[in-house]
PDB file of all heavy atoms in Angstrom:
ATOM      1  N   VAL A   2     -39.910  -3.741  99.336  1.00  0.00           N
ATOM      2  CA  VAL A   2     -40.882  -3.321 100.342  1.00  0.00           C
ATOM      3  C   VAL A   2     -40.316  -2.149 101.129  1.00  0.00           C
ATOM      4  O   VAL A   2     -39.148  -2.166 101.517  1.00  0.00           O
ATOM      5  CB  VAL A   2     -41.183  -4.476 101.313  1.00  0.00           C
ATOM      6  CG1 VAL A   2     -42.134  -4.032 102.405  1.00  0.00           C
ATOM      7  CG2 VAL A   2     -41.737  -5.659 100.552  1.00  0.00           C
ATOM      8  N   VAL A  12     -36.430  11.508 122.140  1.00  0.00           N
ATOM      9  CA  VAL A  12     -36.298  11.680 123.594  1.00  0.00           C
ATOM     10  C   VAL A  12     -37.488  12.501 124.068  1.00  0.00           C
ATOM     11  O   VAL A  12     -37.729  13.594 123.546  1.00  0.00           O
ATOM     12  CB  VAL A  12     -34.979  12.383 123.958  1.00  0.00           C
ATOM     13  CG1 VAL A  12     -34.882  12.549 125.475  1.00  0.00           C
ATOM     14  CG2 VAL A  12     -33.782  11.599 123.436  1.00  0.00           C
ATOM     15  N   ARG A  14     -40.154  13.542 127.628  1.00  0.00           N
ATOM     16  CA  ARG A  14     -40.229  13.642 129.075  1.00  0.00           C
ATOM     17  C   ARG A  14     -41.414  12.845 129.609  1.00  0.00           C
ATOM     18  O   ARG A  14     -42.425  12.671 128.908  1.00  0.00           O
ATOM     19  CB  ARG A  14     -40.358  15.099 129.497  1.00  0.00           C
ATOM     20  CG  ARG A  14     -39.122  15.932 129.189  1.00  0.00           C
ATOM     21  CD  ARG A  14     -39.202  17.295 129.875  1.00  0.00           C
ATOM     22  NE  ARG A  14     -38.026  18.106 129.588  1.00  0.00           N
ATOM     23  CZ  ARG A  14     -36.892  18.010 130.253  1.00  0.00           C
ATOM     24  NH1 ARG A  14     -36.771  17.155 131.264  1.00  0.00           N
ATOM     25  NH2 ARG A  14     -35.878  18.784 129.927  1.00  0.00           N
ATOM     26  N   VAL A  19     -46.907  10.951 123.167  1.00  0.00           N
ATOM     27  CA  VAL A  19     -45.917  10.641 122.128  1.00  0.00           C
ATOM     28  C   VAL A  19     -46.609   9.934 120.966  1.00  0.00           C
ATOM     29  O   VAL A  19     -47.407   9.016 121.168  1.00  0.00           O
ATOM     30  CB  VAL A  19     -44.799   9.737 122.683  1.00  0.00           C
ATOM     31  CG1 VAL A  19     -43.757   9.440 121.597  1.00  0.00           C
ATOM     32  CG2 VAL A  19     -44.144  10.385 123.891  1.00  0.00           C
ATOM     33  N   TRP A  34     -47.410  -3.165 115.709  1.00  0.00           N
ATOM     34  CA  TRP A  34     -46.426  -2.445 116.511  1.00  0.00           C
ATOM     35  C   TRP A  34     -45.876  -3.390 117.579  1.00  0.00           C
ATOM     36  O   TRP A  34     -46.645  -4.037 118.304  1.00  0.00           O
ATOM     37  CB  TRP A  34     -47.048  -1.231 117.202  1.00  0.00           C
ATOM     38  CG  TRP A  34     -47.073  -0.011 116.340  1.00  0.00           C
ATOM     39  CD1 TRP A  34     -48.155   0.553 115.731  1.00  0.00           C
ATOM     40  CD2 TRP A  34     -45.959   0.820 116.008  1.00  0.00           C
ATOM     41  NE1 TRP A  34     -47.780   1.671 115.025  1.00  0.00           N
ATOM     42  CE2 TRP A  34     -46.437   1.861 115.175  1.00  0.00           C
ATOM     43  CE3 TRP A  34     -44.597   0.788 116.320  1.00  0.00           C
ATOM     44  CZ2 TRP A  34     -45.606   2.856 114.666  1.00  0.00           C
ATOM     45  CZ3 TRP A  34     -43.772   1.766 115.806  1.00  0.00           C
ATOM     46  CH2 TRP A  34     -44.273   2.794 114.990  1.00  0.00           C
ATOM     47  N   TYR A  47     -49.956  -3.785 119.587  1.00  0.00           N
ATOM     48  CA  TYR A  47     -51.236  -3.718 118.885  1.00  0.00           C
ATOM     49  C   TYR A  47     -51.023  -4.158 117.450  1.00  0.00           C
ATOM     50  O   TYR A  47     -49.923  -4.069 116.918  1.00  0.00           O
ATOM     51  CB  TYR A  47     -51.765  -2.277 118.849  1.00  0.00           C
ATOM     52  CG  TYR A  47     -52.674  -1.871 119.964  1.00  0.00           C
ATOM     53  CD1 TYR A  47     -52.173  -1.217 121.095  1.00  0.00           C
ATOM     54  CD2 TYR A  47     -54.041  -2.121 119.898  1.00  0.00           C
ATOM     55  CE1 TYR A  47     -53.013  -0.828 122.123  1.00  0.00           C
ATOM     56  CE2 TYR A  47     -54.893  -1.734 120.932  1.00  0.00           C
ATOM     57  CZ  TYR A  47     -54.365  -1.085 122.040  1.00  0.00           C
ATOM     58  OH  TYR A  47     -55.201  -0.697 123.055  1.00  0.00           O
ATOM     59  N   ILE A  60     -49.119  -6.714 125.128  1.00  0.00           N
ATOM     60  CA  ILE A  60     -48.778  -5.671 126.116  1.00  0.00           C
ATOM     61  C   ILE A  60     -49.374  -4.324 125.711  1.00  0.00           C
ATOM     62  O   ILE A  60     -48.659  -3.352 125.503  1.00  0.00           O
ATOM     63  CB  ILE A  60     -47.251  -5.551 126.319  1.00  0.00           C
ATOM     64  CG1 ILE A  60     -46.526  -5.392 124.972  1.00  0.00           C
ATOM     65  CG2 ILE A  60     -46.697  -6.772 127.049  1.00  0.00           C
ATOM     66  CD1 ILE A  60     -45.114  -4.892 125.117  1.00  0.00           C
ATOM     67  N   GLU A  69     -56.238   5.427 110.265  1.00  0.00           N
ATOM     68  CA  GLU A  69     -57.247   6.138 109.484  1.00  0.00           C
ATOM     69  C   GLU A  69     -57.104   5.871 107.987  1.00  0.00           C
ATOM     70  O   GLU A  69     -58.067   5.981 107.224  1.00  0.00           O
ATOM     71  CB  GLU A  69     -57.150   7.643 109.754  1.00  0.00           C
ATOM     72  CG  GLU A  69     -57.449   8.012 111.203  1.00  0.00           C
ATOM     73  CD  GLU A  69     -58.886   7.699 111.590  1.00  0.00           C
ATOM     74  OE1 GLU A  69     -59.794   7.935 110.769  1.00  0.00           O
ATOM     75  OE2 GLU A  69     -59.097   7.181 112.708  1.00  0.00           O
ATOM     76  N   PHE A  74     -50.082   3.668 110.180  1.00  0.00           N
ATOM     77  CA  PHE A  74     -50.493   3.067 111.465  1.00  0.00           C
ATOM     78  C   PHE A  74     -49.704   3.775 112.547  1.00  0.00           C
ATOM     79  O   PHE A  74     -48.465   3.712 112.571  1.00  0.00           O
ATOM     80  CB  PHE A  74     -50.184   1.565 111.436  1.00  0.00           C
ATOM     81  CG  PHE A  74     -50.743   0.775 112.577  1.00  0.00           C
ATOM     82  CD1 PHE A  74     -51.979   1.066 113.138  1.00  0.00           C
ATOM     83  CD2 PHE A  74     -50.056  -0.333 113.076  1.00  0.00           C
ATOM     84  CE1 PHE A  74     -52.506   0.298 114.170  1.00  0.00           C
ATOM     85  CE2 PHE A  74     -50.583  -1.111 114.104  1.00  0.00           C
ATOM     86  CZ  PHE A  74     -51.802  -0.788 114.641  1.00  0.00           C
ATOM     87  N   LEU A  76     -48.779   4.684 116.570  1.00  0.00           N
ATOM     88  CA  LEU A  76     -48.754   4.233 117.963  1.00  0.00           C
ATOM     89  C   LEU A  76     -48.703   5.459 118.849  1.00  0.00           C
ATOM     90  O   LEU A  76     -47.894   6.367 118.613  1.00  0.00           O
ATOM     91  CB  LEU A  76     -47.535   3.346 118.207  1.00  0.00           C
ATOM     92  CG  LEU A  76     -47.361   2.805 119.627  1.00  0.00           C
ATOM     93  CD1 LEU A  76     -48.448   1.766 119.945  1.00  0.00           C
ATOM     94  CD2 LEU A  76     -45.980   2.190 119.811  1.00  0.00           C
ATOM     95  N   SER A  87     -37.677   2.170 125.100  1.00  0.00           N
ATOM     96  CA  SER A  87     -37.524   0.922 124.376  1.00  0.00           C
ATOM     97  C   SER A  87     -37.287   1.206 122.899  1.00  0.00           C
ATOM     98  O   SER A  87     -37.338   2.347 122.447  1.00  0.00           O
ATOM     99  CB  SER A  87     -38.792   0.078 124.535  1.00  0.00           C
ATOM    100  OG  SER A  87     -38.634  -1.204 123.958  1.00  0.00           O
ATOM    101  N   CYS A  91     -42.228  -1.254 113.770  1.00  0.00           N
ATOM    102  CA  CYS A  91     -43.462  -1.418 113.000  1.00  0.00           C
ATOM    103  C   CYS A  91     -43.226  -2.514 111.968  1.00  0.00           C
ATOM    104  O   CYS A  91     -42.119  -2.644 111.422  1.00  0.00           O
ATOM    105  CB  CYS A  91     -43.806  -0.109 112.312  1.00  0.00           C
ATOM    106  SG  CYS A  91     -45.209  -0.206 111.189  1.00  0.00           S
ATOM    107  N   THR A  97     -52.777 -12.841 102.864  1.00  0.00           N
ATOM    108  CA  THR A  97     -53.112 -13.882 101.892  1.00  0.00           C
ATOM    109  C   THR A  97     -51.931 -14.791 101.586  1.00  0.00           C
ATOM    110  O   THR A  97     -52.091 -15.837 100.969  1.00  0.00           O
ATOM    111  CB  THR A  97     -53.608 -13.256 100.579  1.00  0.00           C
ATOM    112  OG1 THR A  97     -52.642 -12.291 100.138  1.00  0.00           O
ATOM    113  CG2 THR A  97     -54.937 -12.562 100.788  1.00  0.00           C
ATOM    114  N   PRO A 101     -47.163 -16.093 105.947  1.00  0.00           N
ATOM    115  CA  PRO A 101     -46.990 -14.647 105.852  1.00  0.00           C
ATOM    116  C   PRO A 101     -45.830 -14.106 106.671  1.00  0.00           C
ATOM    117  O   PRO A 101     -45.899 -14.042 107.902  1.00  0.00           O
ATOM    118  CB  PRO A 101     -48.318 -14.106 106.348  1.00  0.00           C
ATOM    119  CG  PRO A 101     -48.885 -15.172 107.201  1.00  0.00           C
ATOM    120  CD  PRO A 101     -48.398 -16.459 106.639  1.00  0.00           C
ATOM    121  N   THR A 112     -36.484   7.190 124.207  1.00  0.00           N
ATOM    122  CA  THR A 112     -36.006   7.363 125.579  1.00  0.00           C
ATOM    123  C   THR A 112     -36.952   8.317 126.286  1.00  0.00           C
ATOM    124  O   THR A 112     -37.198   9.425 125.790  1.00  0.00           O
ATOM    125  CB  THR A 112     -34.575   7.919 125.616  1.00  0.00           C
ATOM    126  OG1 THR A 112     -33.707   7.045 124.898  1.00  0.00           O
ATOM    127  CG2 THR A 112     -34.084   8.051 127.055  1.00  0.00           C
TER     128      THR A 112
END
Side-chain angles (χ1 to χ4, degrees):
Chain A
V2 177
V12 180
R14 294 191 180 276
V19 181
W34 275 107
Y47 268 95
I60 52 164
E69 297 295 320
F74 190 36
L76 179 69
S87 186
C91 174
T97 52
T112 302

